[in-house]
Amino acid sequence: MLENLLPALAEAGDFARALDLAEDLHVLDGSGLSPVRLATLHTRLAKVAHTAGRWSDGNRQIARAREVLAATPDESAAAAVDVTAAYLALDTPGSDRTQHAEKLARSAADTAERHGLPVVACQARELLATVARERDPEESAAMLGQALATAERHRLPLQRMYAATRLGGNDWLADGDTSGLLAAREEALRLGSVNIVHTVDGILVLDAVLSGRYDAARSAAAECLAVVRRLRLAPAVRYVLMSQAVLAAHHADRAAMERSLADFAEWDGAGSQEEPLGRGLARAFCALLEEDRGLAREELRQVLALEAGNPSTYHLSGTHGLVLLLDVLAGDADRARHEEITATAVARMRWNRQFVLLTDAVLLGREGAGDRAAAAVESALAVAEAYPLAQHLGLRLIADAAHQDGWGDPVGWLRRAEHYFHERDVQAVTGACRAGLRRLGASVHQHRTGTSGIPDRLRAQGVTVREFEVFRLLAERLSNKDIADRLFISPRTAEKHIASLVTKTGAANRADLCARSAALRDA
């Protein structure tokens, strides 16, 4: 009964009941149950722990299964242990976790072929496909195709669903296509696999953020998080919290981003595969939207260090795209580095490809190939069409380099970016685009919109759009120089705006004005 109940409870998300049963296994020791059957139970408990994101519990069950089998070796049972250990290895922090997981999975796959173990064969190929995705997408797809065929041939609906989910994930990473994931989610709903339903939901939340569908992302994240917190489905909780941090970062809301990341850390975030995404997609992007490239590059250096110590199979953290663009713009990377990155399969994933193409454009411009550089930008824009914020941020990032080297349409690109970020109230980038246009000798269009974002009371007091931008920054108690730097105006102009705000609002002094700004922010 336990052999069948444990995986069923895991798929249904009832981890508490499944893991409580571990307390009863000692009763079976010395009961006459064969070592193979007992090892199978420990292995299935390890799989439950893995699904719940409880690495240490899972690894303890694996160790117990190996102890039981030591006295009575059995290749078939050992293969099941190895494949479950491989999944745990892939998620357990460590610099060699992908190599260790791949070695275990290959051993399990070989044994499964010899002994006719279709479930183990499917599980092993699914893991091997995940590891292979980094070096060869075709190899990954072939392995998943084999797993899918094996599952269908042996009528294994759960294994078919898992293989289909990983195929859908590959398509999403390669091209931003979610159709495969949605189909797998429907199959998971039919089978009652809570684990897969919410795993896919987390990916769809992140996709909605990157695609600029922020309202949909916000509501989907809240709905999913309420369920996976209750189920204690730690991997899904971490992924959704990371996605919420990215959502806040894409609004330049550092406080909200850090709250989500702090919550993420409480769910064993350190060393997890999602941790680099929290820095690369959240903190680095937030820094760029604050016009702090130095901080963004430091965050990405931290990502590189994290992935050196704990390799990730998620690949969207910026190590094969954004960091290359920023390093080339700073003069710290060259054509050789670009070719090294573009030779990898990860750089061809759609999210990374947009930055790789922009990097190529900057390098071509420096090499005097202006027409080819402009064509590379057009290719990048086509790839980035699915990611509007990244698309416009990319234009802002390359405009100065294009102007300096005399190619492309830097004025047009800055105008597009300025309009986009103005509409989304990302003040620092909007101000930087306007300043860039002035440096290029281009006129800066005044927007007639924007007053709707001013609270009614302040608007009635005659506060202008620019004054409200200054007012909002006073919540951070910045100096005139810091405000000026943020808005790309002079300190003297910032001082005049503050004096006008004191008069218009009736504030007693600057400190009172700062307090009012903080109260509005926290309301």
Side-chain angles (χ1 to χ4, degrees), residues 450-464 468 471 504-505 520:
T451 56
S452 61
I454 303 175
D456 292 342
R457 182 176 178 180
L458 292 176
R459 189 163 59 248
Q461 292 169 334
V463 172
T464 67
F468 183 60
F471 178 76
K504 289 180 178 181
T505 62
L520 179 65

Side-chain angles (χ1 to χ4, degrees), residues 337-350:
R337 178 62 177 154
H338 178 267
E339 291 178 354
E340 179 185 343
I341 293 293
T342 54
T344 66
V346 177
R348 296 191 290 276
M349 294 176 179
R350 185 166 186 173

Side-chain angles (χ1 to χ4, degrees), residues 243-303:
S243 299
Q244 283 189 325
V246 178
L247 175 61
H250 281 220
H251 287 80
D253 188 345
R254 180 168 289 276
M257 176 191 73
E258 292 296 348
R259 285 195 297 271
S260 291
L261 290 176
D263 203 356
F264 168 88
E266 293 180 0
W267 285 81
D268 293 325
S272 69
Q273 295 218 42
E274 299 87 4
E275 186 181 16
L277 298 179
R279 282 196 178 273
L281 285 177
R283 285 192 172 125
F285 261 79
C286 190
L288 289 173
L289 295 183
E290 294 168 341
E291 283 294 312
D292 191 341
R293 292 194 199 181
L295 178 58
R297 295 182 68 206
E298 176 56 33
E299 296 290 359
L300 289 167
R301 281 192 288 271
Q302 292 292 328
V303 171

Side-chain angles (χ1 to χ4, degrees), residues 466-467 470 489 492-502:
R466 179 58 99 182
E467 287 171 348
V470 172
I489 58 179
R492 176 63 178 158
T493 300
E495 181 181 4
K496 287 181 178 179
H497 285 315
I498 292 169
S500 177
L501 283 165
V502 169

Side-chain angles (χ1 to χ4, degrees), residues 441-456:
S443 60
V444 178
H445 298 158
Q446 295 299 314
H447 295 276
R448 296 184 181 275
T449 60
T451 56
S452 61
I454 303 175
D456 292 342

